[in-house]
Amino acid sequence: SSKKLQMFLRQQQKKATSFLLYQNVSFYFKVGLISGICMIVGTIIGSGIFVSPKSVLANAGAVGPCLIIWAACGVLATLGALCFAELGTMITKSGGEYPYLMEAFGPIPAFLFSWTSLLVTKPSSFAIICLSFAEYASAPFYPGCDPPPVVIKCLAAAAIVVITIVNSLSVKLGSYLQNLLTAAKMIIVTIIIVSGIVLLAQGKTENFKDSFKDSKISVSSIGLAFYNGLWAYDGWNQLNYITEELKNPYRNLPLSIIIGIPLVTICYVLINIAYFTVMTSTELLQSQAVAVTFGDRILYPASWIVPLFVAFSTIGSANGTCFTAGRLVYVAGREGHMLKVLSYISVKRLTPAPAIIFYGAIAIIYIIPGDIDTLINYFSFAVWIFYGLTVFALIVMRFTRKEVNRPIRIPIVIPVIVTLISILLVLLPIISAPELAYLYCVLFILSGLIFYVLFVHFKFSWPQKISKPITMHLQMLLEVVPAEETTE
């Protein structure tokens, strides 16, 4: 019976491998310039523009600085993406920042990036988006007051469970859901922008008078405003994850960035202008859900459309995040940086189910103690450490890897500017308004060194003895097999 089981698993393993290869090949022919632009726009626009305006305004203090920060965040995201474009065409390995850090600095920074992505940045991002969904989904049921935190957390946890199950059951179901929710996202963005333009044309400009009055320009407030603004732009580096699948990447990658991110920036500035046409700064800060308040004042009695479509938009972002980050866990497991079982594929469903389930479980843990603002600061602090380090890797390799072919070569001043801004974004909040969350984040990142020494560098036998029976039992429980056969 054990031989039959092994034969069955081998057959399913081959089936899973051929399925994944088919997916990769079919995807390759779809990503041209238009698809690349749509991917950037669709990935970036999500929950951030419906959550961050309050926090950006609270830290900027006035309408004028608020709009400038939104535009500046778009410029920074564009410059950062151009740096990543040079790296992505110079080092064509998949895995985002991981291979760039490996080439420039060696395995330890690369492992710490992988460790931080898997256990800090990706799950906290998933948790923030689902908390945003919960806020907007529950807001219509609590008119005039904030929904209870318990309701928001329970609804966010339920959203994580549903998305995890959908992506674990079927790749097609997850992609169909993503297409539907992306359409809903673009509808609500269009409704808000068009409404704002119509109101401006009607002369609703009183909230823009004295737009710099009461502004709070301090080191800490600017840093925190950028944290919240850049959260809405997160995803600007996603095209680098599929460099190999782009048609004519040396032309289409920089063009997609130069067109896509400024397009998102224009959308974000116009959405914020639309908010200010119907709300004063004080009213916006007091609103429990900004887009819901906007809908109540503009679209009544059809104002229910706004929270419904915003909920669809945020759940779509969460679904897309789960789909891509589940693959990151899968790759880390395959590279030996996490439990091997995380790189296995479901026999029946042909999805990386263990990786997706692991990712959802970590996200739920983040929801329990955290709120949106704290998680955004925690996420932004961690992610900009590695964004800065990756862009600095580009500067280092200009001197250490001169012989490498660079199909895209940007002026050296751009990575220097992005590196300096990254350092400021990491250090300013710590210096001006230190919080324990930043200390915990640094300690957690550095704790990855312990795991690297024990499990990757020395490869002690006792961890393998412990993990082997765990892997075997989880493999039988979840009905999963390795995606690729390994030769002994």
Side-chain angles (χ1 to χ4, degrees), residues 206-277:
E206 55 270 15
N207 292 335
F208 297 98
K209 294 174 182 176
D210 297 324
S211 56
F212 287 85
K213 187 181 179 182
D214 300 324
S215 60
K216 298 186 299 184
I217 305 299
S218 68
V219 171
S220 62
S221 64
I222 290 174
L224 292 174
F226 266 90
Y227 269 9
N228 286 276
L230 288 167
W231 156 249
Y233 284 94
D234 194 61
W236 51 263
N237 62 327
Q238 290 300 305
L239 215 56
N240 269 56
Y241 285 83
I242 59 155
T243 305
E244 296 174 30
E245 288 84 7
L246 277 172
K247 289 180 181 177
N248 192 6
Y250 308 144
R251 171 183 174 271
N252 289 340
L253 183 59
L255 273 179
S256 297
I257 291 164
I258 292 168
I259 297 170
I261 300 179
L263 192 61
V264 172
T265 306
I266 291 168
C267 285
Y268 280 2
V269 172
L270 287 176
I271 288 171
N272 277 275
I273 289 172
Y275 290 154
F276 288 120
T277 57

Side-chain angles (χ1 to χ4, degrees), residues 178-197:
Q178 187 63 29
N179 293 340
L180 177 66
L181 296 173
T182 299
K185 171 167 57 181
M186 299 318 296
I187 288 170
I188 188 60
V189 166
T190 304
I191 288 172
I192 293 173
I193 290 174
V194 171
S195 300
I197 291 171

Side-chain angles (χ1 to χ4, degrees), residues 1 53 83 88-89 94 104 129 136 142 179 185 235 262 285 322 325 383 385 408 410 422 426 440:
S1 59
C83 296
T89 51
S94 60
I129 295 169
Y136 271 92
Y142 295 90
N179 293 340
K185 171 167 57 181
L285 291 173
C322 181
V383 83
I385 289 173
I408 297 172
I410 60 171
S422 300
V426 170
Y440 293 151

